[in-house]
Amino acid sequence: MLNSVVKNLDCINALINYFTRLPGVGYKTAERYAYKIIEADKDFVDGFLNAVKSVREKVKLCETCANFAETGKCNICQQRGGKSIICVVKDPRDVIAIEKSNSFNGTYHVLHGVISPLDKKGPNDINLKSLIIRVRDEGTSEVLIATNPDVEGEATANYIASLLKPSGVKVTRLAQGLSLGTNLEYADEVTLGSAIANRREI
Amino acid sequence: MLNSVVKNLDCINALINYFTRLPGVGYKTAERYAYKIIEADKDFVDGFLNAVKSVREKVKLCETCANFAETGKCNICQQRGGKSIICVVKDPRDVIAIEKSNSFNGTYHVLHGVISPLDKKGPNDINLKSLIIRVRDEGTSEVLIATNPDVEGEATANYIASLLKPSGVKVTRLAQGLSLGTNLEYADEVTLGSAIANRREI
């Protein structure tokens, strides 16, 4: 009998369930978020709802590189349109990560995913066709493939390289080696192997 | 020059800022949530927006105990209205925690806070007056004060006890002692002291 009342209200449970679908959020955390929403002042909730709606309405994909954009072209394509080097990344977060490194000033091409047979994602499920067209039309001199150094990222990089080979464009890949501050003892064999193979003179 | 484009779109930043105001959410986590919202399907976002609105519209406070309720009275007050023991808790989450223990079947009284001079919260800022009236009108035989065993919780408990003394009602407090699975060696002195003072024959 006691159990009949041992629960949150249905509408609270519904909100908790939505919060658990955000990345890395478990039930207890979702419950805390839901209670925050219930107890927050009206301004916060209205602002939050508007922010969600606004993001859904305003964020489009750049017609050239498929990065997030509020207008037809993203900021980067607008400012660096004429560059002849294209950096290929998995998603828009990677664009921001690379921009923060302050080491690249070409344009990007966002795949919105990688080839992953386990997730039933093939070459046609990512934004790849438009890359081939861009390389042809923009007279690109180099394509730097900056997918993650994991199984899917490597497979995708190799696939793109084979696609681009006929066009004669130079295709490069991010270097693999030791990260800053790594302890040699704990580096994995593959990374250490790459670091040795790609050793440089100082 | 590079820095001019190194950022998320304004509308994405606005959403990230709202997410950082949820409890325990830092910038990186908020960014992941925002990207999930951008990339999620329409059903998820619409459902999420409706769940937030629904919670804000439907969740009221029970007119008797101030627990969350969708109607005038919460489920617990409806089902156990006649009980003569009232458990006083800090917030609605504590009601659920106590209900889960399956050890209490009286009604509750939710304070929505505790007395905390540091946060400028005095006795008039919590739901206390209605407790005195309830105890008088309902012919309550016992008030169990279940605030947290910390400084504010103890101070609030003592204050409530002093308020209720003139009415002659029995006032009790949750027992303090060792938690299940605690290692004696690591128990704090206060808890261990309470456990010794309140030892029981077996």
Side-chain angles (χ1 to χ4, degrees):
Chain A
M1 190 222 93
L2 278 180
N3 279 318
S4 63
V5 288
V6 185
K7 58 179 178 62
N8 284 306
L9 297 173
D10 289 341
C11 62
I12 302 182
N13 275 328
L15 182 57
I16 292 173
N17 282 335
Y18 275 103
F19 274 126
T20 58
R21 289 167 65 185
L22 293 178
V25 176
Y27 187 84
K28 275 277 173 192
T29 306
E31 199 173 38
R32 286 180 72 199
Y33 294 172
Y35 277 83
K36 165 76 187 181
I37 294 288
I38 296 171
E39 289 161 1
D41 54 44
K42 196 172 175 306
D43 284 353
F44 173 81
V45 178
D46 289 347
F48 177 65
L49 289 172
N50 283 334
V52 171
K53 279 183 220 155
S54 162
V55 148
R56 293 291 292 195
E57 282 161 15
K58 287 188 190 163
V59 177
K60 312 261 180 274
L61 299 185
C62 170
E63 58 198 23
T64 306
C65 71
N67 188 12
F68 290 147
E70 288 191 20
T71 52
K73 279 192 182 230
C74 72
N75 289 340
I76 298 174
C77 283
Q78 277 175 29
Q79 294 185 27
R80 307 188 196 147
K83 303 283 175 179
S84 66
I85 171 165
I86 297 178
C87 176
V88 178
V89 293
K90 183 183 170 195
D91 61 42
R93 267 162 290 191
D94 299 330
V95 172
I96 298 200
I98 292 176
E99 284 295 304
K100 279 186 181 154
S101 77
N102 251 332
S103 318
F104 179 78
N105 75 341
T107 56
Y108 292 87
H109 192 85
V110 182
L111 297 175
H112 289 281
V114 282
I115 298 171
S116 169
L118 281 177
D119 302 325
K120 292 188 181 155
K121 274 197 147 184
N124 292 326
D125 300 317
I126 61 178
N127 178 33
L128 203 45
K129 271 183 204 154
S130 61
L131 175 64
I132 313 297
I133 299 169
R134 277 184 76 184
V135 168
R136 191 191 60 200
D137 294 354
E138 294 181 14
T140 306
S141 63
E142 179 178 347
V143 173
L144 164 57
I145 305 179
T147 51
N148 290 330
D150 54 18
V151 177
E152 287 94 359
E154 288 294 338
T156 306
N158 290 333
Y159 183 81
I160 296 175
S162 70
L163 270 188
L164 290 174
K165 198 159 253 174
S167 70
V169 69
K170 180 176 167 195
V171 180
T172 53
R173 182 92 178 91
L174 286 185
Q176 270 192 294
L178 298 172
S179 297
L180 184 68
T182 304
N183 199 323
L184 265 195
E185 196 179 345
Y186 302 122
D188 66 282
E189 304 87 338
V190 177
T191 304
L192 203 48
S194 300
I196 294 171
N198 300 309
R199 66 191 179 277
R200 60 196 169 85
E201 204 172 312
I202 52 169
Chain B
M1 191 220 93
L2 277 179
N3 280 316
S4 65
V5 288
V6 186
K7 58 179 180 62
N8 283 306
L9 297 173
D10 288 341
C11 61
I12 302 182
N13 274 329
L15 182 57
I16 292 174
N17 282 335
Y18 274 103
F19 273 125
T20 58
R21 288 168 64 185
L22 293 178
V25 176
Y27 187 84
K28 275 276 172 192
T29 306
E31 199 173 38
R32 286 180 71 198
Y33 294 172
Y35 277 84
K36 165 75 187 181
I37 294 287
I38 296 171
E39 287 161 2
D41 54 44
K42 196 172 174 308
D43 284 354
F44 173 82
V45 178
D46 289 347
F48 177 65
L49 289 171
N50 283 334
V52 171
K53 280 183 219 155
S54 163
V55 149
R56 294 290 293 194
E57 282 161 15
K58 287 188 188 163
V59 177
K60 311 261 180 273
L61 298 185
C62 169
E63 58 198 24
T64 306
C65 71
N67 188 11
F68 290 146
E70 289 192 17
T71 52
K73 278 190 182 230
C74 73
N75 290 339
I76 298 173
C77 283
Q78 277 175 30
Q79 293 184 27
R80 309 185 195 149
K83 303 283 175 179
S84 66
I85 171 165
I86 297 178
C87 176
V88 178
V89 293
K90 182 183 171 197
D91 61 41
R93 268 161 288 192
D94 299 330
V95 172
I96 298 199
I98 292 177
E99 284 294 302
K100 279 186 180 154
S101 77
N102 250 332
S103 316
F104 179 78
N105 74 341
T107 54
Y108 292 86
H109 192 84
V110 181
L111 298 175
H112 290 281
V114 283
I115 298 170
S116 168
L118 282 178
D119 302 323
K120 293 189 180 155
K121 274 198 147 183
N124 292 327
D125 300 316
I126 60 177
N127 178 33
L128 203 46
K129 271 183 201 154
S130 61
L131 175 65
I132 314 297
I133 299 169
R134 276 184 76 183
V135 168
R136 192 191 61 200
D137 293 355
E138 293 182 14
T140 306
S141 63
E142 179 177 347
V143 173
L144 165 56
I145 305 179
T147 50
N148 289 330
D150 54 19
V151 176
E152 287 95 359
E154 289 294 336
T156 308
N158 291 334
Y159 183 82
I160 297 175
S162 70
L163 272 188
L164 290 173
K165 198 159 252 177
S167 71
V169 69
K170 181 178 167 192
V171 180
T172 53
R173 182 93 178 89
L174 287 185
Q176 272 192 293
L178 299 171
S179 297
L180 184 68
T182 304
N183 198 323
L184 265 194
E185 197 179 345
Y186 302 121
D188 67 284
E189 305 86 339
V190 177
T191 304
L192 202 48
S194 300
I196 293 171
N198 300 307
R199 66 191 180 277
R200 60 196 170 84
E201 203 172 313
I202 53 168

Short mmCIF file of all heavy atoms in Angstrom, two decimals, chain B residues 141-187:
data_model
loop_
_atom_site.label_atom_id
_atom_site.label_comp_id
_atom_site.label_asym_id
_atom_site.label_seq_id
_atom_site.Cartn_x
_atom_site.Cartn_y
_atom_site.Cartn_z
N SER B 141 -0.45 14.07 17.36
CA SER B 141 0.15 13.54 18.59
C SER B 141 1.67 13.61 18.57
O SER B 141 2.30 13.67 19.61
CB SER B 141 -0.30 12.09 18.80
OG SER B 141 0.17 11.29 17.74
N GLU B 142 2.26 13.58 17.35
CA GLU B 142 3.73 13.60 17.28
C GLU B 142 4.21 14.34 16.04
O GLU B 142 3.65 14.17 14.95
CB GLU B 142 4.27 12.15 17.26
CG GLU B 142 5.79 12.08 17.16
CD GLU B 142 6.33 10.65 17.20
OE1 GLU B 142 5.56 9.71 17.54
OE2 GLU B 142 7.51 10.47 16.88
N VAL B 143 5.26 15.14 16.21
CA VAL B 143 5.91 15.79 15.07
C VAL B 143 7.34 15.25 14.99
O VAL B 143 8.12 15.43 15.92
CB VAL B 143 5.92 17.33 15.23
CG1 VAL B 143 6.74 17.97 14.12
CG2 VAL B 143 4.51 17.88 15.23
N LEU B 144 7.64 14.55 13.88
CA LEU B 144 8.97 14.00 13.67
C LEU B 144 9.75 14.95 12.77
O LEU B 144 9.39 15.14 11.61
CB LEU B 144 8.86 12.61 13.01
CG LEU B 144 10.13 12.01 12.40
CD1 LEU B 144 11.25 11.91 13.42
CD2 LEU B 144 9.83 10.64 11.81
N ILE B 145 10.81 15.57 13.30
CA ILE B 145 11.56 16.55 12.51
C ILE B 145 12.68 15.84 11.76
O ILE B 145 13.62 15.32 12.37
CB ILE B 145 12.10 17.68 13.39
CG1 ILE B 145 10.93 18.30 14.17
CG2 ILE B 145 12.78 18.74 12.53
CD1 ILE B 145 11.33 19.40 15.10
N ALA B 146 12.56 15.80 10.43
CA ALA B 146 13.51 15.05 9.61
C ALA B 146 14.34 15.97 8.73
O ALA B 146 14.58 15.68 7.56
CB ALA B 146 12.75 14.02 8.77
N THR B 147 14.80 17.09 9.29
CA THR B 147 15.73 17.94 8.53
C THR B 147 17.09 17.25 8.53
O THR B 147 17.34 16.33 9.32
CB THR B 147 15.84 19.33 9.19
OG1 THR B 147 16.10 19.16 10.59
CG2 THR B 147 14.56 20.11 9.02
N ASN B 148 17.97 17.69 7.64
CA ASN B 148 19.30 17.06 7.55
C ASN B 148 20.09 17.23 8.85
O ASN B 148 19.96 18.24 9.53
CB ASN B 148 20.11 17.70 6.42
CG ASN B 148 19.58 17.34 5.06
OD1 ASN B 148 19.01 16.27 4.87
ND2 ASN B 148 19.74 18.25 4.11
N PRO B 149 20.94 16.25 9.19
CA PRO B 149 21.76 16.37 10.39
C PRO B 149 23.00 17.24 10.16
O PRO B 149 24.12 16.79 10.36
CB PRO B 149 22.15 14.91 10.69
CG PRO B 149 22.13 14.24 9.38
CD PRO B 149 21.12 14.95 8.52
N ASP B 150 22.78 18.50 9.71
CA ASP B 150 23.89 19.44 9.56
C ASP B 150 23.56 20.69 10.38
O ASP B 150 22.54 20.72 11.08
CB ASP B 150 24.13 19.79 8.08
CG ASP B 150 22.87 20.28 7.38
OD1 ASP B 150 21.92 20.69 8.08
OD2 ASP B 150 22.82 20.23 6.15
N VAL B 151 24.40 21.71 10.32
CA VAL B 151 24.23 22.87 11.21
C VAL B 151 22.85 23.51 11.03
O VAL B 151 22.11 23.69 12.01
CB VAL B 151 25.34 23.93 10.96
CG1 VAL B 151 25.10 25.16 11.80
CG2 VAL B 151 26.70 23.33 11.27
N GLU B 152 22.49 23.84 9.78
CA GLU B 152 21.20 24.49 9.54
C GLU B 152 20.04 23.57 9.92
O GLU B 152 19.04 24.03 10.49
CB GLU B 152 21.04 24.89 8.06
CG GLU B 152 21.88 26.07 7.64
CD GLU B 152 23.19 25.63 7.03
OE1 GLU B 152 23.42 24.40 6.96
OE2 GLU B 152 23.98 26.50 6.62
N GLY B 153 20.17 22.30 9.57
CA GLY B 153 19.09 21.35 9.86
C GLY B 153 18.86 21.21 11.35
O GLY B 153 17.72 21.19 11.83
N GLU B 154 19.95 21.14 12.13
CA GLU B 154 19.84 21.02 13.58
C GLU B 154 19.23 22.27 14.19
O GLU B 154 18.36 22.23 15.05
CB GLU B 154 21.22 20.77 14.20
CG GLU B 154 21.82 19.39 13.93
CD GLU B 154 21.02 18.26 14.59
OE1 GLU B 154 20.32 18.52 15.59
OE2 GLU B 154 21.09 17.13 14.09
N ALA B 155 19.70 23.44 13.71
CA ALA B 155 19.20 24.71 14.23
C ALA B 155 17.70 24.82 13.95
O ALA B 155 16.91 25.23 14.83
CB ALA B 155 19.95 25.88 13.59
N THR B 156 17.30 24.45 12.74
CA THR B 156 15.89 24.51 12.37
C THR B 156 15.07 23.56 13.25
O THR B 156 13.98 23.92 13.73
CB THR B 156 15.72 24.14 10.88
OG1 THR B 156 16.60 24.95 10.11
CG2 THR B 156 14.30 24.35 10.41
N ALA B 157 15.60 22.37 13.47
CA ALA B 157 14.89 21.38 14.30
C ALA B 157 14.69 21.92 15.71
O ALA B 157 13.60 21.84 16.29
CB ALA B 157 15.67 20.07 14.33
N ASN B 158 15.76 22.51 16.28
CA ASN B 158 15.64 23.05 17.63
C ASN B 158 14.65 24.20 17.71
O ASN B 158 13.88 24.31 18.66
CB ASN B 158 17.02 23.51 18.14
CG ASN B 158 17.94 22.33 18.39
OD1 ASN B 158 17.45 21.22 18.65
ND2 ASN B 158 19.23 22.54 18.26
N TYR B 159 14.66 25.03 16.68
CA TYR B 159 13.74 26.16 16.65
C TYR B 159 12.29 25.66 16.59
O TYR B 159 11.42 26.14 17.33
CB TYR B 159 14.05 27.07 15.46
CG TYR B 159 13.17 28.29 15.41
CD1 TYR B 159 13.46 29.41 16.19
CD2 TYR B 159 12.04 28.32 14.60
CE1 TYR B 159 12.65 30.53 16.16
CE2 TYR B 159 11.22 29.44 14.56
CZ TYR B 159 11.53 30.54 15.35
OH TYR B 159 10.71 31.63 15.33
N ILE B 160 12.03 24.69 15.73
CA ILE B 160 10.67 24.15 15.60
C ILE B 160 10.23 23.51 16.92
O ILE B 160 9.10 23.69 17.38
CB ILE B 160 10.59 23.12 14.45
CG1 ILE B 160 10.90 23.82 13.11
CG2 ILE B 160 9.22 22.46 14.39
CD1 ILE B 160 10.96 22.87 11.93
N ALA B 161 11.16 22.77 17.54
CA ALA B 161 10.82 22.12 18.82
C ALA B 161 10.41 23.15 19.86
O ALA B 161 9.43 22.97 20.59
CB ALA B 161 12.02 21.30 19.31
N SER B 162 11.17 24.29 19.89
CA SER B 162 10.84 25.31 20.89
C SER B 162 9.49 25.96 20.60
O SER B 162 8.74 26.33 21.51
CB SER B 162 11.94 26.37 20.96
OG SER B 162 11.93 27.14 19.77
N LEU B 163 9.15 26.09 19.31
CA LEU B 163 7.86 26.66 18.91
C LEU B 163 6.70 25.75 19.33
O LEU B 163 5.62 26.22 19.69
CB LEU B 163 7.78 26.82 17.39
CG LEU B 163 8.27 28.09 16.72
CD1 LEU B 163 7.90 28.06 15.25
CD2 LEU B 163 7.66 29.33 17.37
N LEU B 164 6.94 24.44 19.22
CA LEU B 164 5.84 23.49 19.43
C LEU B 164 5.66 23.12 20.91
O LEU B 164 4.62 22.60 21.29
CB LEU B 164 6.08 22.22 18.61
CG LEU B 164 5.93 22.37 17.10
CD1 LEU B 164 6.36 21.09 16.39
CD2 LEU B 164 4.49 22.72 16.73
N LYS B 165 6.69 23.39 21.71
CA LYS B 165 6.64 22.98 23.11
C LYS B 165 5.35 23.42 23.83
O LYS B 165 4.68 22.60 24.48
CB LYS B 165 7.88 23.49 23.86
CG LYS B 165 8.14 22.78 25.16
CD LYS B 165 9.61 22.93 25.59
CE LYS B 165 10.38 21.62 25.43
NZ LYS B 165 11.81 21.78 25.78
N PRO B 166 4.94 24.69 23.69
CA PRO B 166 3.74 25.15 24.41
C PRO B 166 2.49 24.33 24.07
O PRO B 166 1.59 24.18 24.90
CB PRO B 166 3.56 26.59 23.92
CG PRO B 166 4.90 27.00 23.44
CD PRO B 166 5.56 25.77 22.91
N SER B 167 2.42 23.76 22.86
CA SER B 167 1.22 23.03 22.44
C SER B 167 1.16 21.64 23.07
O SER B 167 0.15 20.95 22.96
CB SER B 167 1.18 22.91 20.93
OG SER B 167 2.18 22.01 20.50
N GLY B 168 2.28 21.20 23.69
CA GLY B 168 2.27 19.90 24.37
C GLY B 168 2.44 18.69 23.46
O GLY B 168 2.44 17.56 23.92
N VAL B 169 2.61 18.92 22.15
CA VAL B 169 2.77 17.79 21.23
C VAL B 169 4.15 17.16 21.43
O VAL B 169 5.11 17.82 21.82
CB VAL B 169 2.60 18.28 19.76
CG1 VAL B 169 3.76 19.17 19.34
CG2 VAL B 169 2.45 17.11 18.81
N LYS B 170 4.25 15.84 21.18
CA LYS B 170 5.54 15.14 21.29
C LYS B 170 6.37 15.48 20.06
O LYS B 170 5.89 15.34 18.93
CB LYS B 170 5.26 13.64 21.35
CG LYS B 170 6.48 12.75 21.48
CD LYS B 170 6.01 11.30 21.57
CE LYS B 170 7.11 10.30 21.40
NZ LYS B 170 6.56 8.93 21.22
N VAL B 171 7.59 15.96 20.28
CA VAL B 171 8.46 16.31 19.14
C VAL B 171 9.63 15.35 19.11
O VAL B 171 10.33 15.18 20.11
CB VAL B 171 8.97 17.76 19.25
CG1 VAL B 171 9.85 18.10 18.06
CG2 VAL B 171 7.80 18.73 19.35
N THR B 172 9.85 14.69 17.96
CA THR B 172 10.98 13.74 17.85
C THR B 172 11.89 14.15 16.70
O THR B 172 11.55 14.99 15.88
CB THR B 172 10.47 12.30 17.61
OG1 THR B 172 9.59 12.32 16.49
CG2 THR B 172 9.70 11.78 18.81
N ARG B 173 13.06 13.52 16.68
CA ARG B 173 14.08 13.84 15.68
C ARG B 173 14.58 12.51 15.14
O ARG B 173 14.61 11.51 15.87
CB ARG B 173 15.21 14.59 16.41
CG ARG B 173 16.35 15.07 15.54
CD ARG B 173 16.11 16.48 15.07
NE ARG B 173 17.25 16.97 14.25
CZ ARG B 173 17.33 16.82 12.93
NH1 ARG B 173 16.37 16.20 12.27
NH2 ARG B 173 18.37 17.28 12.27
N LEU B 174 15.00 12.46 13.88
CA LEU B 174 15.57 11.23 13.33
C LEU B 174 16.78 10.83 14.16
O LEU B 174 17.54 11.68 14.60
CB LEU B 174 16.02 11.43 11.89
CG LEU B 174 14.96 11.54 10.80
CD1 LEU B 174 15.64 11.61 9.43
CD2 LEU B 174 14.01 10.36 10.84
N ALA B 175 16.98 9.52 14.37
CA ALA B 175 18.14 9.05 15.12
C ALA B 175 19.42 9.30 14.34
O ALA B 175 19.43 9.25 13.11
CB ALA B 175 18.00 7.56 15.41
N GLN B 176 20.50 9.61 15.08
CA GLN B 176 21.80 9.68 14.44
C GLN B 176 22.61 8.48 14.86
O GLN B 176 22.57 8.06 16.02
CB GLN B 176 22.54 10.95 14.88
CG GLN B 176 22.21 12.16 14.02
CD GLN B 176 23.16 13.29 14.31
OE1 GLN B 176 23.12 13.85 15.40
NE2 GLN B 176 24.00 13.64 13.36
N GLY B 177 23.34 7.89 13.96
CA GLY B 177 24.15 6.73 14.28
C GLY B 177 24.92 6.32 13.05
O GLY B 177 25.03 7.09 12.09
N LEU B 178 25.44 5.10 13.06
CA LEU B 178 26.25 4.64 11.92
C LEU B 178 25.35 4.26 10.75
O LEU B 178 24.28 3.68 10.94
CB LEU B 178 27.08 3.44 12.34
CG LEU B 178 28.08 3.70 13.47
CD1 LEU B 178 28.70 2.39 13.94
CD2 LEU B 178 29.15 4.67 13.01
N SER B 179 25.77 4.59 9.55
CA SER B 179 25.05 4.15 8.36
C SER B 179 25.41 2.70 8.07
O SER B 179 26.47 2.22 8.45
CB SER B 179 25.46 4.98 7.14
OG SER B 179 25.11 6.31 7.33
N LEU B 180 24.51 2.03 7.35
CA LEU B 180 24.76 0.64 6.94
C LEU B 180 26.05 0.57 6.13
O LEU B 180 26.25 1.36 5.22
CB LEU B 180 23.58 0.16 6.09
CG LEU B 180 23.62 -1.31 5.66
CD1 LEU B 180 23.44 -2.22 6.86
CD2 LEU B 180 22.57 -1.60 4.61
N GLY B 181 26.94 -0.38 6.49
CA GLY B 181 28.16 -0.56 5.72
C GLY B 181 29.30 0.36 6.09
O GLY B 181 30.37 0.32 5.48
N THR B 182 29.09 1.23 7.10
CA THR B 182 30.15 2.15 7.49
C THR B 182 31.32 1.40 8.12
O THR B 182 31.12 0.41 8.81
CB THR B 182 29.63 3.16 8.53
OG1 THR B 182 28.50 3.81 8.00
CG2 THR B 182 30.69 4.19 8.89
N ASN B 183 32.51 1.89 7.89
CA ASN B 183 33.68 1.36 8.54
C ASN B 183 33.92 2.23 9.78
O ASN B 183 34.10 3.44 9.67
CB ASN B 183 34.86 1.49 7.57
CG ASN B 183 36.01 0.62 7.96
OD1 ASN B 183 36.27 0.46 9.16
ND2 ASN B 183 36.68 0.06 6.98
N LEU B 184 33.90 1.61 10.99
CA LEU B 184 34.04 2.36 12.25
C LEU B 184 35.20 3.33 12.21
O LEU B 184 35.11 4.48 12.66
CB LEU B 184 34.31 1.40 13.41
CG LEU B 184 33.12 0.93 14.24
CD1 LEU B 184 33.63 0.29 15.51
CD2 LEU B 184 32.22 2.10 14.58
N GLU B 185 36.32 2.83 11.66
CA GLU B 185 37.56 3.57 11.60
C GLU B 185 37.38 4.94 10.94
O GLU B 185 38.04 5.91 11.28
CB GLU B 185 38.51 2.72 10.76
CG GLU B 185 39.96 3.03 10.84
CD GLU B 185 40.74 2.05 9.94
OE1 GLU B 185 40.13 1.01 9.54
OE2 GLU B 185 41.89 2.33 9.64
N TYR B 186 36.48 4.99 9.94
CA TYR B 186 36.34 6.22 9.16
C TYR B 186 35.12 7.05 9.55
O TYR B 186 34.87 8.10 8.95
CB TYR B 186 36.28 5.89 7.66
CG TYR B 186 37.49 5.14 7.19
CD1 TYR B 186 37.38 3.88 6.62
CD2 TYR B 186 38.76 5.70 7.33
CE1 TYR B 186 38.51 3.19 6.19
CE2 TYR B 186 39.89 5.01 6.92
CZ TYR B 186 39.76 3.76 6.34
OH TYR B 186 40.87 3.09 5.93
N ALA B 187 34.34 6.58 10.54
CA ALA B 187 33.16 7.35 10.95
C ALA B 187 33.63 8.62 11.66
O ALA B 187 34.64 8.61 12.37
CB ALA B 187 32.30 6.51 11.88
#
